[in-house]
Amino acid sequence: AQSVTQPDARVTVSEGASLQLRCKYSYSGTPYLFWYVQYPRQGLQLLLKYYSGDPVVQGVNGFEAEFIKSNSSFHLRKASVHWSDSAVYFCAVSTNNNNAPRFGAGTKLSVKP
Amino acid sequence: AQTIHQWPVAEIKAVGSPLSLGCTIKGKSSPNLYWYWQATGGTLQQLFYSITVGQVESVVQLNLSASRPKDDQFILSTEKLLLSHSGFYLCAWSLRSFSNERLFFGHGTKLSVL
């Protein structure tokens, strides 16, 4: 079965700094990978997704992620964070078996002004 | 445009009392529907999914049940709440039963069991 690991429960960065949120997955086949963001007291919103092709995928609000198969990773990056990026970020993986994605534990991002 | 509405926004319930949470999707016929549970500060645990009316699959046992009485409606319920049921419940839908489809989430219901 597939699994997702987000090793950092909390990340704090200063506004304007660069950001990387880590995600590693475990699955023997080719996964479908997602990053979702959850703002306080809200549901999740899709940031970006990877199915195939270019391993670097662009998402909304300047986010991007890179699929590195050899490392089983799908880290999320942003060149310059804004205070409004403070939220919880979830990495998710699904496979071609009709089940909904499995989510990581989430990383809570706090952006200091 | 498709919309997803969850109700209620929040609930405070006593241990042992019944619960019913609802989710309605408008603007999309025959969506796949999902219930997720999120413990405070925790990850998302998929509870149920439904591909069609009247058909619900359980993913994990938490003394909860789900039903899909209409194409656009998904209900989560229990006759007897436990303290461990506290958390944030999210309903979601996707276009098809292929797992490479993105999920669209509702705003969630915060449940506090006292």
Side-chain angles (χ1 to χ4, degrees):
Chain A
Q2 70 272 23
S3 66
V4 184
T5 302
Q6 292 180 250
D8 306 308
R10 294 175 182 270
V11 170
T12 300
V13 297
S14 297
E15 193 167 27
S18 62
L19 171 71
Q20 176 172 281
L21 301 182
R22 296 184 291 167
C23 172
K24 296 202 75 172
Y25 66 89
S26 172
Y27 178 59
S28 56
T30 300
Y32 304 113
L33 298 161
F34 307 81
W35 275 100
Y36 286 84
V37 60
Q38 184 180 31
Y39 297 103
R41 295 175 297 282
Q42 293 189 27
L44 280 70
Q45 302 169 35
L46 183 70
L47 275 179
L48 49 81
K49 58 188 178 185
Y50 171 79
Y51 297 160
S52 64
D54 189 340
V56 179
V57 291
Q58 304 296 323
V60 298
N61 297 333
F63 285 95
E64 67 174 29
E66 183 173 8
F67 169 55
I68 303 180
K69 188 173 183 178
S70 60
N71 197 34
S72 298
S73 67
F74 190 57
H75 302 332
L76 182 70
R77 304 188 296 238
K78 187 170 183 177
S80 176
V81 295
H82 187 264
W83 64 266
S84 60
D85 292 325
S86 296
V88 181
Y89 292 79
F90 289 93
C91 182
V93 62
S94 63
T95 62
N96 198 17
N97 62 0
N98 293 340
N99 288 328
R102 184 178 295 271
F103 287 82
T107 297
K108 184 173 183 178
L109 173 66
S110 298
V111 180
K112 297 185 300 184
Chain B
Q2 302 87 9
T3 60
I4 177 169
H5 174 60
Q6 279 189 250
W7 74 92
V9 173
E11 277 267 44
I12 300 175
K13 303 278 282 187
V15 169
S17 63
L19 173 76
S20 181
L21 304 180
C23 173
T24 299
I25 293 84
K26 295 298 183 187
K28 174 56 62 180
S29 62
S30 303
N32 292 329
L33 299 176
Y34 309 88
W35 277 112
Y36 282 86
W37 171 70
Q38 186 179 27
T40 303
T43 191
L44 290 150
Q45 171 67 61
Q46 187 187 355
L47 300 175
F48 300 93
Y49 69 92
S50 171
I51 295 174
T52 189
V53 174
Q55 182 180 334
V56 177
E57 301 295 331
S58 173
V59 177
V60 64
Q61 283 297 328
L62 284 180
N63 292 308
L64 295 167
S65 60
S67 64
R68 187 169 178 176
K70 301 179 187 177
D71 184 54
D72 63 354
Q73 197 173 78
F74 207 20
I75 307 295
L76 183 71
S77 61
T78 182
E79 292 185 1
K80 208 169 183 181
L81 277 166
L82 307 173
L83 283 173
S84 57
H85 286 138
S86 292
F88 197 53
Y89 289 83
L90 288 161
C91 180
W93 67 271
S94 66
L95 284 173
R96 292 184 293 270
S97 61
F98 300 114
S99 52
N100 59 357
E101 290 290 338
R102 61 171 290 186
L103 295 175
F104 296 85
F105 286 86
H107 280 232
T109 296
K110 183 176 181 181
L111 174 65
S112 300
V113 182
L114 306 176

